[in-house]
Amino acid sequence: MVRLSMGCGGAMYTESLVLTAAHCVSSTGNNTSITATYGVVDLQSTSAIKRTSNYVYRNPGYSTSAGGDWALIRLSQPISGAALLPIATTTAYDNGTFTVAGWGAATEGGAQQRYLLKAQVPFVPDSTCRQSYPSMKTAVEICAGYPEGGVDTCQGDSGGPMFRRDNAGQWIQVGIVSYGRGCARPNYPGVYAEVSALATAIQAAARDLGGNPDPDPDPGPVFENTNNVTIPDAGAAVSSSVTVSGMAGNAPSNLQVGVDIKHTYRGDLVIDLIAPDGTAYRLKNSSGSDSADNVITTYTVNASTEVANGTWKLQVRDVYSADTGYIDSWKLVF
Ligand code: ARG
């Protein structure tokens, strides 16, 4: 959690990128005017860590009918070791009870706070929220609050995170404080940018701004197959196996699949990871327009419903004629 000098909140997405609200920033481009204060509850604490911005990316869709109240602020120097808040990439956590936090007003029309406050607010379904805010954008907004009011975010909390625990017990960001009528009024819940609906765009922007969080900061055992397998041109699928043993329980939700395929037109290729029970996880689709060579990358797969031990396969099919190649090697990192 950070306080931003224009009077908003934000969450550390990477050590250099703060996720906040589009309405907290003016435009995309170089920007050295924002100070982020990190690591303290008391904004006047002498142990606060402060960083200046050097670039702002404001969701270009925010000012269109698409909406999406999010922006990324890049810091001129990373906050090394910062506690990062992963973003929700599925709607699985768009329900339940959320935590909200910020240094914004403690009551409608009240003063900004010196000490960070937090509160808990329940999810409000789109259909209910629409009755209060007929023009809310249900595709990219999520509401939270009690029918009787009394608990809410407020002015100055904007840009800060709304978060909860995921199924593994880890904190995950599901919302960004966006707007509301007054604060904590009955039947006027807070409206938040719906992070799961915006995650793909946030990740793409972060990539351009220097990178996304490490999907696997704590890599475990590696299982690899380095035997080459020829991929027939516009032919049948081929596969390469890796046998996993000695692992307890299920595979992780961030199973890393390292792929090294040499090919003269990678758009020809459809790639799947096949779990021991036969479940296929699509890693890559074909694309007639992607004429680049080779697929040398790491995919992250949520394999948490799969037993780890057994024979996993990388299955590759070339669906267009002309170019060819081979699986050079691939590996699973647990
Ligand atoms: N737009 C406000 C800000 O800039 C946040 C308002 C949130 N309001 C609410 N009732 N939840 O700080």
Side-chain angles (χ1 to χ4, degrees):
M1 180 91 212
V2 294
R3 175 69 170 180
L4 298 169
S5 53
M6 83 294 274
C8 280
M12 296 305 295
Y13 181 64
T14 68
E15 292 181 350
S16 294
L17 293 177
V18 176
L19 181 60
T20 186
H23 84 261
C24 288
V25 299
S26 49
S27 57
T28 293
N30 294 334
N31 185 325
T32 56
S33 73
I34 303 167
T35 301
T37 301
Y38 170 87
V40 288
V41 162
D42 176 4
L43 291 176
Q44 291 173 20
S45 167
T46 52
S47 53
I49 294 169
K50 299 196 185 213
R51 291 289 187 275
T52 305
S53 63
N54 66 13
Y55 192 88
V56 165
Y57 181 86
R58 187 180 199 255
N59 173 22
Y62 177 59
S63 46
T64 74
S65 59
D69 194 2
W70 68 270
L72 286 169
I73 296 173
R74 189 173 62 200
L75 307 176
S76 55
Q77 195 195 327
I79 300 176
S80 93
L84 308 182
L85 186 56
I87 61 171
T89 56
T90 77
T91 56
Y93 304 111
D94 290 354
N95 56 71
T97 299
F98 308 120
T99 300
V100 289
W103 289 270
T107 55
E108 185 175 328
Q112 298 296 296
Q113 299 295 297
R114 170 175 169 179
Y115 300 95
L116 181 64
L117 296 178
K118 67 175 176 179
Q120 293 204 309
V121 278
F123 169 71
V124 173
D126 286 349
S127 54
T128 308
C129 196
R130 258 256 153 98
Q131 291 168 18
S132 313
Y133 304 102
S135 58
M136 76 158 287
K137 296 175 173 18
T138 53
V140 294
E141 292 174 351
I142 178 172
C143 303
Y146 294 95
E148 66 273 29
V151 183
D152 198 3
T153 48
C154 198
Q155 266 52 44
D157 291 324
S158 278
M162 177 167 82
F163 46 99
R164 53 164 282 175
R165 302 272 188 186
D166 69 12
N167 290 337
Q170 304 296 312
W171 293 112
I172 189 164
Q173 183 171 359
V174 301
I176 301 170
V177 180
S178 185
Y179 66 91
R181 169 174 307 199
C183 303
R185 295 188 189 181
N187 296 311
Y188 284 102
V191 186
Y192 299 79
E194 187 174 357
V195 167
S196 62
L198 304 163
T200 307
I202 294 169
Q203 289 167 339
R207 207 172 295 131
D208 290 342
L209 293 174
N212 280 284
D214 182 348
D216 190 2
D218 175 30
V222 178
F223 300 87
E224 185 169 26
N225 186 334
T226 59
N227 297 323
N228 294 359
V229 177
T230 299
I231 304 164
D233 190 28
V238 293
S239 66
S240 170
S241 299
V242 152
T243 299
V244 173
S245 62
M247 300 288 298
N250 281 10
S253 59
N254 65 339
L255 178 64
Q256 302 295 294
V257 187
V259 173
D260 184 342
I261 294 174
K262 304 300 193 300
H263 197 278
T264 53
Y265 198 112
R266 69 180 178 202
D268 289 5
L269 302 177
V270 179
I271 309 177
D272 291 289
L273 174 71
I274 313 293
D277 71 354
T279 307
Y281 294 85
R282 178 61 45 91
L283 303 178
K284 177 194 170 305
N285 277 306
S286 60
S287 150
S289 60
D290 185 4
S291 62
D293 288 349
N294 306 334
V295 180
I296 303 175
T297 192
T298 300
Y299 299 97
T300 300
V301 172
N302 181 351
S304 58
T305 62
E306 304 293 341
V307 173
N309 289 338
T311 301
W312 296 72
K313 291 187 172 114
L314 186 75
Q315 179 176 286
V316 182
R317 189 155 78 96
D318 179 319
V319 296
Y320 298 119
S321 59
D323 292 80
T324 57
Y326 61 97
I327 304 173
D328 197 337
S329 68
W330 75 285
K331 64 183 172 186
L332 291 172
V333 183
F334 282 79

